[in-house]
Amino acid sequence: HTHTLNMARKSVAPDVLEKKVKEVDDLILDFERKAKKQEQNKASMVKRNAAEKDLLKAAEKLRDKLMEEVKGDKNVLAAVFGGDCSRFWRIKNIMDGTELLPNNEKDA
């Protein structure tokens, strides 16, 4: 992970790189929190639906940020997703472990 950050710093200012990595980390953390809340509210249809809407909004924000980084500096992309790929696996685990109500699946 440190090697990947060091490589990316060669073409991107360290403060900019750290800001971008933190933004992605914060969005993933929010996505994880929303997934947990959705899981905790499965017993109540109204609360579950609201939690799923929040989860989908978090997923949309994360997707938009990732798309922005894919189009940007490849060194930043390597810093965010290189190394041990832990950010990628965190996102994948949420996506694989989340079951949405039928009315929300179309928005996923």
Side-chain angles (χ1 to χ4, degrees):
H1 183 72
T2 304
H3 174 68
T4 308
L5 283 174
N6 288 337
M7 285 179 55
R9 284 188 177 116
K10 292 178 183 174
S11 65
V12 180
D15 59 324
V16 172
L17 179 64
E18 289 173 22
K19 180 180 181 245
K20 288 180 176 285
V21 169
K22 183 175 178 350
E23 287 172 355
V24 171
D25 283 343
D26 289 348
L27 289 169
I28 293 172
L29 184 59
D30 186 50
F31 191 42
E32 289 171 328
R33 287 180 182 147
K34 298 286 176 28
K36 185 175 181 178
K37 185 174 180 182
Q38 184 262 359
E39 182 67 30
Q40 292 170 340
N41 286 300
K42 282 193 171 182
S44 167
M45 193 61 87
V46 173
K47 288 182 179 180
R48 178 179 177 178
N49 190 50
E52 285 186 11
K53 299 281 187 204
D54 290 344
L55 176 63
L56 291 169
K57 286 177 192 171
E60 183 179 356
K61 287 179 186 176
L62 180 56
R63 181 208 60 210
D64 291 348
K65 181 63 178 169
L66 298 178
M67 293 299 293
E68 175 186 322
E69 296 308 331
V70 166
K71 293 176 184 175
D73 189 305
K74 298 307 177 211
N75 290 314
V76 172
L77 188 63
V80 172
F81 288 103
D84 63 3
C85 299
S86 62
R87 292 176 183 93
F88 168 79
W89 290 113
R90 287 170 62 196
I91 295 166
K92 183 167 179 11
N93 286 338
I94 296 166
M95 293 172 59
D96 289 349
T98 302
E99 182 181 327
L100 299 174
L101 294 168
N103 62 313
N104 290 327
E105 284 181 345
K106 67 183 182 318
D107 295 330

